Amino acid sequence: MNKTKGIILALISSGTFGLIAFFSIPLLKTGMHAPSILFYRCLISVLLIGAVCLIRKKNLRISPKAAAQLLCLGLLYTLTAMGLLYSYNYISSGVATTIHFLYPVSVSCMMIIFYREKLSRNLLFAAILSLTGVALLCWSDSGFINTTGLLAVLMTVFTYSIYIVWLNGPEIKKLEPETITFYVMLFGGFIFAVFSYSATGIELVPDIPSVFNLIGLALFATVISNLALVAAVKHAGSTITSILGSLEPVVATAVGIFHFGEPFGWNGLCGLLIIIGAVLLVILTSKKKVEIPVS
Protein backbone atom coordinates (compact mmCIF):
# COMPACT_ATOMS: atom_id res chain seq x y z
CA MET A 1 0.00 0.00 0.00
CA ASN A 2 2.83 2.40 0.89
CA LYS A 3 4.58 1.64 -2.40
CA THR A 4 1.40 2.33 -4.36
CA LYS A 5 0.98 5.58 -2.47
CA GLY A 6 4.60 6.45 -3.29
CA ILE A 7 4.06 5.75 -7.00
CA ILE A 8 0.98 7.99 -7.07
CA LEU A 9 2.87 10.76 -5.28
CA ALA A 10 5.82 10.39 -7.70
CA LEU A 11 3.46 10.77 -10.65
CA ILE A 12 1.91 13.85 -9.03
CA SER A 13 5.38 15.29 -8.42
CA SER A 14 6.72 14.78 -11.94
CA GLY A 15 3.40 15.79 -13.51
CA THR A 16 3.24 19.09 -11.61
CA PHE A 17 6.91 19.82 -12.34
CA GLY A 18 6.00 19.46 -16.01
CA LEU A 19 3.51 22.33 -15.64
CA ILE A 20 6.20 25.00 -15.24
CA ALA A 21 5.77 26.17 -18.83
CA PHE A 22 1.95 26.05 -18.54
CA PHE A 23 2.04 28.82 -15.93
CA SER A 24 5.25 30.61 -17.03
CA ILE A 25 4.69 31.21 -20.74
CA PRO A 26 1.44 33.24 -20.29
CA LEU A 27 3.34 35.43 -17.80
CA LEU A 28 6.16 35.97 -20.31
CA LYS A 29 3.58 36.86 -22.96
CA THR A 30 2.21 39.66 -20.77
CA GLY A 31 5.62 41.32 -20.97
CA MET A 32 6.83 40.36 -17.48
CA HIS A 33 10.53 39.56 -17.34
CA ALA A 34 11.86 36.28 -15.98
CA PRO A 35 13.54 37.76 -12.84
CA SER A 36 10.26 39.30 -11.65
CA ILE A 37 8.29 36.12 -12.41
CA LEU A 38 10.78 34.01 -10.48
CA PHE A 39 10.89 36.51 -7.60
CA TYR A 40 7.13 36.15 -7.14
CA ARG A 41 7.42 32.38 -7.53
CA CYS A 42 9.98 32.20 -4.71
CA LEU A 43 8.09 34.67 -2.52
CA ILE A 44 4.80 32.77 -2.72
CA SER A 45 6.60 29.43 -2.33
CA VAL A 46 8.43 30.62 0.81
CA LEU A 47 5.13 31.71 2.37
CA LEU A 48 3.45 28.40 1.52
CA ILE A 49 6.36 26.17 2.60
CA GLY A 50 6.82 28.30 5.73
CA ALA A 51 3.18 27.66 6.59
CA VAL A 52 3.68 23.91 6.04
CA CYS A 53 6.76 23.95 8.30
CA LEU A 54 4.83 25.85 10.95
CA ILE A 55 1.92 23.40 10.86
CA ARG A 56 4.28 20.40 10.97
CA LYS A 57 6.40 22.13 13.67
CA LYS A 58 9.59 21.76 11.66
CA ASN A 59 12.78 23.24 13.10
CA LEU A 60 14.13 25.91 10.74
CA ARG A 61 17.30 26.61 12.73
CA ILE A 62 20.49 26.15 10.71
CA SER A 63 24.19 26.60 11.35
CA PRO A 64 26.20 29.43 9.69
CA LYS A 65 28.01 26.81 7.58
CA ALA A 66 24.72 25.35 6.39
CA ALA A 67 23.40 28.86 5.70
CA ALA A 68 26.40 29.61 3.45
CA GLN A 69 25.89 26.37 1.53
CA LEU A 70 22.15 26.97 1.20
CA LEU A 71 22.90 30.42 -0.19
CA CYS A 72 25.06 28.76 -2.87
CA LEU A 73 22.27 26.27 -3.55
CA GLY A 74 19.87 29.18 -3.86
CA LEU A 75 22.18 30.74 -6.46
CA LEU A 76 22.31 27.47 -8.42
CA TYR A 77 18.52 27.26 -8.24
CA THR A 78 18.15 30.81 -9.57
CA LEU A 79 20.51 30.11 -12.47
CA THR A 80 18.58 26.94 -13.33
CA ALA A 81 15.15 28.55 -13.12
CA MET A 82 16.32 31.62 -15.02
CA GLY A 83 17.93 29.58 -17.79
CA LEU A 84 14.84 27.44 -18.27
CA LEU A 85 12.47 30.39 -18.44
CA TYR A 86 14.87 32.32 -20.70
CA SER A 87 15.02 29.37 -23.11
CA TYR A 88 11.22 29.49 -23.54
CA ASN A 89 11.69 32.76 -25.44
CA TYR A 90 13.66 30.97 -28.15
CA ILE A 91 12.71 27.28 -28.28
CA SER A 92 9.57 25.29 -27.53
CA SER A 93 8.90 24.48 -23.88
CA GLY A 94 8.65 20.74 -24.61
CA VAL A 95 12.09 20.65 -26.23
CA ALA A 96 13.59 22.79 -23.44
CA THR A 97 12.18 20.56 -20.67
CA THR A 98 13.29 17.39 -22.44
CA ILE A 99 16.87 18.65 -22.82
CA HIS A 100 16.82 19.80 -19.18
CA PHE A 101 15.84 16.22 -18.26
CA LEU A 102 19.40 15.17 -19.19
CA TYR A 103 20.56 16.18 -15.70
CA PRO A 104 20.68 12.59 -14.27
CA VAL A 105 23.24 11.71 -16.96
CA SER A 106 25.22 14.83 -16.07
CA VAL A 107 25.02 13.99 -12.36
CA SER A 108 26.46 10.52 -13.01
CA CYS A 109 29.31 12.07 -15.01
CA MET A 110 30.05 14.48 -12.16
CA MET A 111 30.12 11.60 -9.68
CA ILE A 112 32.77 9.96 -11.85
CA ILE A 113 34.85 13.14 -12.13
CA PHE A 114 34.63 14.39 -8.54
CA TYR A 115 33.95 11.23 -6.52
CA ARG A 116 35.95 8.79 -8.67
CA GLU A 117 33.09 6.48 -9.47
CA LYS A 118 33.89 3.86 -12.06
CA LEU A 119 32.87 4.67 -15.63
CA SER A 120 30.51 1.92 -16.78
CA ARG A 121 29.66 0.90 -20.30
CA ASN A 122 26.02 1.63 -19.57
CA LEU A 123 26.81 5.24 -18.64
CA LEU A 124 28.94 5.70 -21.74
CA PHE A 125 26.14 4.24 -23.87
CA ALA A 126 23.58 6.48 -22.12
CA ALA A 127 25.74 9.56 -22.77
CA ILE A 128 25.92 8.71 -26.48
CA LEU A 129 22.16 8.08 -26.55
CA SER A 130 21.44 11.39 -24.83
CA LEU A 131 23.59 13.31 -27.32
CA THR A 132 21.75 11.57 -30.15
CA GLY A 133 18.41 12.53 -28.59
CA VAL A 134 19.46 16.17 -28.22
CA ALA A 135 20.64 16.24 -31.84
CA LEU A 136 17.23 14.97 -33.01
CA LEU A 137 15.43 17.54 -30.86
CA CYS A 138 17.62 20.33 -32.20
CA TRP A 139 16.84 19.56 -35.84
CA SER A 140 13.39 19.96 -37.34
CA ASP A 141 11.84 20.54 -40.74
CA SER A 142 12.55 24.27 -40.37
CA GLY A 143 16.22 23.67 -39.57
CA PHE A 144 18.36 23.90 -36.44
CA ILE A 145 16.71 25.34 -33.33
CA ASN A 146 17.77 28.69 -31.91
CA THR A 147 21.31 28.46 -30.54
CA THR A 148 20.68 30.96 -27.73
CA GLY A 149 17.77 28.90 -26.39
CA LEU A 150 19.78 25.69 -26.68
CA LEU A 151 22.75 27.13 -24.75
CA ALA A 152 20.41 28.52 -22.07
CA VAL A 153 18.79 25.15 -21.39
CA LEU A 154 22.12 23.30 -21.56
CA MET A 155 23.33 25.64 -18.82
CA THR A 156 20.43 24.46 -16.65
CA VAL A 157 21.59 20.85 -17.05
CA PHE A 158 24.98 21.85 -15.66
CA THR A 159 23.75 24.09 -12.81
CA TYR A 160 21.04 21.66 -11.69
CA SER A 161 23.51 18.77 -11.72
CA ILE A 162 25.80 20.68 -9.34
CA TYR A 163 22.73 21.48 -7.22
CA ILE A 164 21.84 17.78 -6.92
CA VAL A 165 25.39 16.65 -6.13
CA TRP A 166 25.64 19.39 -3.48
CA LEU A 167 22.38 18.22 -1.89
CA ASN A 168 24.17 14.98 -1.01
CA GLY A 169 26.91 16.82 0.91
CA PRO A 170 27.27 15.97 4.62
CA GLU A 171 26.20 19.39 5.92
CA ILE A 172 23.04 19.60 3.79
CA LYS A 173 21.99 15.97 4.35
CA LYS A 174 21.61 16.73 8.07
CA LEU A 175 18.70 19.05 7.29
CA GLU A 176 15.11 18.05 6.65
CA PRO A 177 13.85 18.41 3.06
CA GLU A 178 11.29 21.06 4.01
CA THR A 179 14.01 23.12 5.67
CA ILE A 180 16.25 22.86 2.61
CA THR A 181 13.41 23.85 0.27
CA PHE A 182 12.40 26.78 2.51
CA TYR A 183 15.88 28.30 2.57
CA VAL A 184 16.64 27.62 -1.09
CA MET A 185 13.45 29.49 -2.01
CA LEU A 186 14.18 32.22 0.54
CA PHE A 187 17.70 32.86 -0.74
CA GLY A 188 16.52 32.40 -4.32
CA GLY A 189 13.85 35.05 -3.79
CA PHE A 190 16.44 37.43 -2.34
CA ILE A 191 18.78 36.89 -5.33
CA PHE A 192 15.93 37.42 -7.79
CA ALA A 193 14.84 40.56 -5.91
CA VAL A 194 18.34 42.06 -6.15
CA PHE A 195 18.69 41.06 -9.79
CA SER A 196 15.24 42.37 -10.73
CA TYR A 197 15.80 45.66 -8.90
CA SER A 198 19.16 46.24 -10.61
CA ALA A 199 17.88 45.23 -14.08
CA THR A 200 14.25 45.95 -14.89
CA GLY A 201 12.96 46.66 -11.41
CA ILE A 202 10.48 44.39 -9.62
CA GLU A 203 7.52 44.60 -11.97
CA LEU A 204 3.94 44.82 -10.77
CA VAL A 205 1.69 41.90 -11.69
CA PRO A 206 -0.18 43.22 -14.78
CA ASP A 207 -3.58 41.55 -14.36
CA ILE A 208 -5.71 39.05 -12.43
CA PRO A 209 -4.94 36.05 -14.72
CA SER A 210 -1.24 36.68 -14.08
CA VAL A 211 -1.88 36.55 -10.33
CA PHE A 212 -3.46 33.10 -10.73
CA ASN A 213 -0.60 31.96 -12.97
CA LEU A 214 1.97 33.04 -10.36
CA ILE A 215 0.03 31.24 -7.61
CA GLY A 216 -0.21 28.14 -9.83
CA LEU A 217 3.51 28.27 -10.60
CA ALA A 218 4.36 28.47 -6.91
CA LEU A 219 1.70 26.08 -5.60
CA PHE A 220 1.68 23.30 -8.20
CA ALA A 221 5.08 23.50 -9.91
CA THR A 222 7.05 24.27 -6.74
CA VAL A 223 5.41 23.46 -3.39
CA ILE A 224 3.18 20.48 -4.24
CA SER A 225 5.78 19.00 -6.59
CA ASN A 226 8.57 19.24 -4.01
CA LEU A 227 6.50 17.97 -1.08
CA ALA A 228 5.10 15.11 -3.20
CA LEU A 229 8.67 14.29 -4.24
CA VAL A 230 9.84 14.00 -0.62
CA ALA A 231 6.88 11.79 0.29
CA ALA A 232 7.33 9.65 -2.85
CA VAL A 233 10.96 8.93 -2.03
CA LYS A 234 9.91 7.99 1.50
CA HIS A 235 7.22 5.51 0.40
CA ALA A 236 8.51 4.19 -2.94
CA GLY A 237 12.25 4.86 -2.86
CA SER A 238 14.46 7.22 -4.87
CA THR A 239 14.92 4.85 -7.83
CA ILE A 240 11.22 4.38 -8.60
CA THR A 241 10.59 8.09 -7.99
CA SER A 242 13.37 9.05 -10.39
CA ILE A 243 12.11 6.63 -13.05
CA LEU A 244 8.60 8.06 -12.83
CA GLY A 245 10.19 11.49 -13.23
CA SER A 246 10.21 10.72 -16.96
CA LEU A 247 6.58 11.90 -16.90
CA GLU A 248 7.87 15.49 -16.55
CA PRO A 249 9.11 16.00 -20.14
CA VAL A 250 6.09 14.08 -21.45
CA VAL A 251 3.69 16.45 -19.66
CA ALA A 252 5.71 19.50 -20.72
CA THR A 253 5.71 18.33 -24.34
CA ALA A 254 1.96 17.63 -24.26
CA VAL A 255 1.30 21.09 -22.79
CA GLY A 256 3.47 22.65 -25.48
CA ILE A 257 1.71 20.82 -28.31
CA PHE A 258 -1.94 20.90 -27.22
CA HIS A 259 -2.09 24.12 -25.17
CA PHE A 260 0.46 26.39 -26.88
CA GLY A 261 0.35 24.83 -30.36
CA GLU A 262 4.11 24.24 -30.50
CA PRO A 263 5.38 22.23 -33.50
CA PHE A 264 6.46 18.66 -32.78
CA GLY A 265 7.50 16.20 -35.49
CA TRP A 266 8.99 12.73 -35.71
CA ASN A 267 12.46 14.04 -34.89
CA GLY A 268 11.16 15.50 -31.64
CA LEU A 269 9.30 12.31 -30.72
CA CYS A 270 12.36 10.13 -31.36
CA GLY A 271 14.58 12.57 -29.45
CA LEU A 272 12.18 12.60 -26.49
CA LEU A 273 12.02 8.79 -26.32
CA ILE A 274 15.80 8.40 -26.69
CA ILE A 275 16.55 10.91 -23.92
CA ILE A 276 14.03 9.29 -21.57
CA GLY A 277 15.57 5.90 -22.37
CA ALA A 278 19.09 7.20 -21.68
CA VAL A 279 18.04 8.70 -18.35
CA LEU A 280 16.23 5.50 -17.28
CA LEU A 281 19.33 3.49 -18.18
CA VAL A 282 21.47 5.70 -15.93
CA ILE A 283 19.01 5.51 -13.03
CA LEU A 284 18.51 1.74 -13.23
CA THR A 285 22.23 0.94 -13.45
CA SER A 286 23.47 3.52 -10.96
CA LYS A 287 25.33 1.80 -8.12
CA LYS A 288 25.97 4.79 -5.87
CA LYS A 289 22.95 6.08 -3.97
CA VAL A 290 22.74 9.62 -5.21
CA GLU A 291 19.21 10.86 -4.72
CA ILE A 292 18.13 12.48 -7.99
CA PRO A 293 15.09 14.73 -7.62
CA VAL A 294 12.57 14.74 -10.41
CA SER A 295 13.26 18.36 -11.28
Side-chain angles (χ1 to χ4, degrees):
M1 183 63 184
N2 281 341
K3 189 173 182 180
T4 302
K5 182 180 179 181
I7 289 171
I8 294 171
L9 287 167
L11 291 172
I12 291 172
S13 176
S14 57
T16 49
F17 269 128
L19 293 175
I20 291 175
F22 179 81
F23 296 110
S24 299
I25 290 178
L27 292 166
L28 291 169
K29 288 182 176 179
T30 65
M32 287 188 72
H33 293 86
S36 293
I37 294 172
L38 294 169
F39 164 72
Y40 287 117
R41 176 188 182 184
C42 288
L43 177 63
I44 298 170
S45 297
V46 164
L47 295 174
L48 292 173
I49 294 173
V52 170
C53 291
L54 189 64
I55 293 170
R56 295 185 177 181
K57 297 180 180 179
K58 296 291 183 181
N59 184 9
L60 293 177
R61 288 187 178 181
I62 54 173
S63 66
K65 186 176 180 181
Q69 293 194 29
L70 286 166
L71 177 60
C72 293
L73 287 172
L75 177 59
L76 288 168
Y77 172 81
T78 60
L79 290 172
T80 302
M82 181 72 76
L84 195 57
L85 240 65
Y86 186 71
S87 70
Y88 292 163
N89 291 311
Y90 300 96
I91 60 179
S92 70
S93 58
V95 170
T97 306
T98 304
I99 294 175
H100 173 69
F101 191 64
L102 284 171
Y103 65 81
V105 179
S106 178
V107 167
S108 296
C109 291
M110 286 185 179
M111 295 303 294
I112 291 170
I113 296 170
F114 298 109
Y115 293 92
R116 298 181 180 179
E117 281 193 6
K118 186 178 179 181
L119 176 61
S120 66
R121 292 180 181 177
N122 286 332
L123 179 58
L124 184 60
F125 181 58
I128 295 170
L129 274 180
S130 63
L131 290 174
T132 303
V134 169
L136 286 170
L137 282 173
C138 291
W139 195 266
S140 64
D141 295 336
S142 57
F144 197 77
I145 66 171
N146 185 278
T147 305
T148 302
L150 176 61
L151 291 176
V153 76
L154 286 176
M155 181 199 74
T156 71
V157 177
F158 180 69
T159 55
Y160 198 64
S161 299
I162 300 175
Y163 177 86
I164 292 168
V165 172
W166 204 326
L167 282 178
N168 286 272
E171 192 68 31
I172 300 300
K173 287 184 76 173
K174 295 177 186 176
L175 304 174
E176 294 189 67
E178 293 89 346
T179 304
I180 296 170
T181 305
F182 175 81
Y183 281 106
V184 166
M185 290 296 160
L186 180 66
F187 290 135
F190 173 75
I191 294 168
F192 281 128
V194 173
F195 184 65
S196 297
Y197 184 78
S198 61
T200 59
I202 300 176
E203 300 162 306
L204 295 176
V205 183
D207 48 38
I208 297 299
S210 295
V211 172
F212 287 113
N213 279 319
L214 285 169
I215 293 172
L217 183 62
L219 178 60
F220 293 102
T222 307
V223 176
I224 289 178
S225 52
N226 277 288
L227 293 179
L229 172 65
V230 172
V233 170
K234 179 181 178 181
H235 293 293
S238 58
T239 300
I240 291 176
T241 303
S242 298
I243 290 171
L244 294 175
S246 59
L247 180 64
E248 178 187 347
V250 174
V251 170
T253 301
V255 167
I257 295 170
F258 298 110
H259 186 65
F260 296 115
E262 296 174 348
F264 193 75
W266 287 107
N267 281 3
L269 177 61
C270 292
L272 172 68
L273 295 176
I274 288 173
I275 287 175
I276 290 175
V279 170
L280 295 182
L281 180 62
V282 169
I283 294 169
L284 290 172
T285 59
S286 178
K287 293 182 180 180
K288 189 172 181 66
K289 294 183 178 179
V290 179
E291 186 175 306
I292 301 177
V294 178
S295 175

